[in-house]
Amino acid sequence: DTAVSQTPKYLVTQMGNDKSIKCEQNLGHDTMYWYKQDSKKFLKIMFSYNNKELIINETVPNRFSPKSPDKAHLNLHINSLELGDSAVYFCASSHGRGHQPQHFGDGTRLSIL
Amino acid sequence: AQTVTQSQPEMSVQEAETVTLSCTYDTSESDYYLFWYKQPPSRQMILVIRQEAYKQQNATENRFSVNFQKAAKSFSLKISDSQLGDAAMYFCAYRSLNNDMRFGAGTRLTVKP
């Protein structure tokens, strides 16, 4: 019974393709996030959704489009993939308020050829 | 925007010894949350310890404790009786009340047998 699950775990694709990463949480949290971790391990927030509404949208190319069909899901769609998109993408969730920590998925390693 | 600085890219400790990882942050907010996460080679992000800024008492979780100095904006992690399984990347994180989460660049901890 995984708390935050991402699929796929690995994604290898060609430059220019469109791909999606799915994320689901079964913790009953109302806030979900996407992070990007680059090759130097730097972890940066990309998006945050609270009750299906976008609340944080960092400076991310508009090729990245998050979609939250319900509170338990936050998918990430990437158009026209570029070499610089190669990274590990983490989904996370938490309660919207309070000191509750974020729970992370296992990450999706995206490699662009 | 808040920034989190981890000034030690790498640290090493002898098994059973104690090590302290440094973290400082910059913010104009008076209320926020601080976290330490551990990322072993399996790349999972695992919560180690958390601290609410309004609490003066330092958080403790078994062998892990923090030294929270709010005025100095410092949040260091002390690991006592280090074990081989503690070897990992450690990330300090700042979370504001609007759920914006910022991570430091990480410290790679090596534990020597």
Side-chain angles (χ1 to χ4, degrees):
Chain A
D1 48 343
T2 305
V4 182
S5 61
Q6 296 178 227
T7 54
K9 291 194 185 312
Y10 298 93
L11 187 52
V12 181
T13 188
Q14 301 272 2
M15 205 164 52
N17 284 350
D18 303 338
K19 290 293 179 186
S20 292
I21 307 172
K22 295 186 176 181
C23 179
E24 176 182 7
Q25 55 94 4
N26 63 4
L27 297 167
H29 290 161
D30 56 5
T31 305
M32 296 184 72
Y33 313 79
W34 277 108
Y35 290 88
K36 178 180 180 180
Q37 186 174 41
D38 62 25
S39 58
K40 295 182 179 178
K41 300 293 186 182
F42 187 68
L43 200 63
K44 185 175 179 183
I45 192 167
M46 300 173 69
F47 302 103
S48 173
Y49 270 73
N50 178 259
N51 286 318
K52 302 196 302 176
E53 288 190 25
L54 182 65
I55 57 172
I56 294 174
N57 184 1
E58 286 295 299
T59 306
V60 175
N62 57 16
R63 298 182 295 104
F64 291 78
S65 53
K67 286 187 171 51
S68 183
D70 54 58
K71 286 196 305 183
H73 295 83
L74 180 61
N75 303 322
L76 183 64
H77 188 75
I78 316 169
N79 288 329
S80 303
L81 281 158
E82 300 177 357
L83 290 175
D85 297 333
S86 294
V88 179
Y89 292 84
F90 284 95
C91 176
S93 72
S94 71
H95 286 295
R97 292 289 180 262
H99 66 284
Q100 298 302 321
Q102 294 182 7
H103 295 255
F104 284 78
D106 289 343
T108 296
R109 182 177 292 282
L110 173 62
S111 299
I112 310 301
L113 303 177
Chain B
Q2 296 81 13
T3 57
V4 179
T5 302
Q6 292 178 248
S7 59
Q8 307 153 316
E10 296 184 354
M11 291 284 283
S12 67
V13 63
Q14 205 70 34
E15 195 176 4
E17 298 293 310
T18 295
V19 65
T20 298
L21 307 184
S22 301
C23 174
T24 58
Y25 56 93
D26 184 28
T27 185
S28 58
E29 298 174 333
S30 60
D31 202 9
Y32 46 86
Y33 307 102
L34 298 165
F35 304 87
W36 278 97
Y37 280 87
K38 167 185 176 181
Q39 187 178 40
S42 65
R43 87 172 181 229
Q44 287 179 306
M45 291 290 287
I46 302 165
L47 177 70
V48 175
I49 199 165
R50 60 188 169 188
Q51 175 83 41
E52 294 95 321
Y54 61 85
K55 288 188 177 179
Q56 291 188 335
Q57 187 173 7
N58 288 325
T60 299
E61 288 285 343
N62 301 315
R63 298 183 294 108
F64 299 87
S65 62
V66 299
N67 184 3
F68 173 48
Q69 301 290 327
K70 191 172 183 179
K73 296 179 183 173
S74 171
F75 183 60
S76 60
L77 174 70
K78 186 171 84 171
I79 307 174
S80 303
D81 185 26
S82 297
Q83 300 176 359
L84 295 177
D86 295 335
M89 282 288 287
Y90 285 81
F91 292 96
C92 178
Y94 172 105
R95 178 180 168 187
S96 59
L97 294 183
N98 69 352
N99 286 325
D100 193 2
M101 188 95 150
R102 305 285 163 164
F103 285 84
T107 296
R108 184 178 300 280
L109 178 66
T110 303
V111 181
K112 299 178 180 177

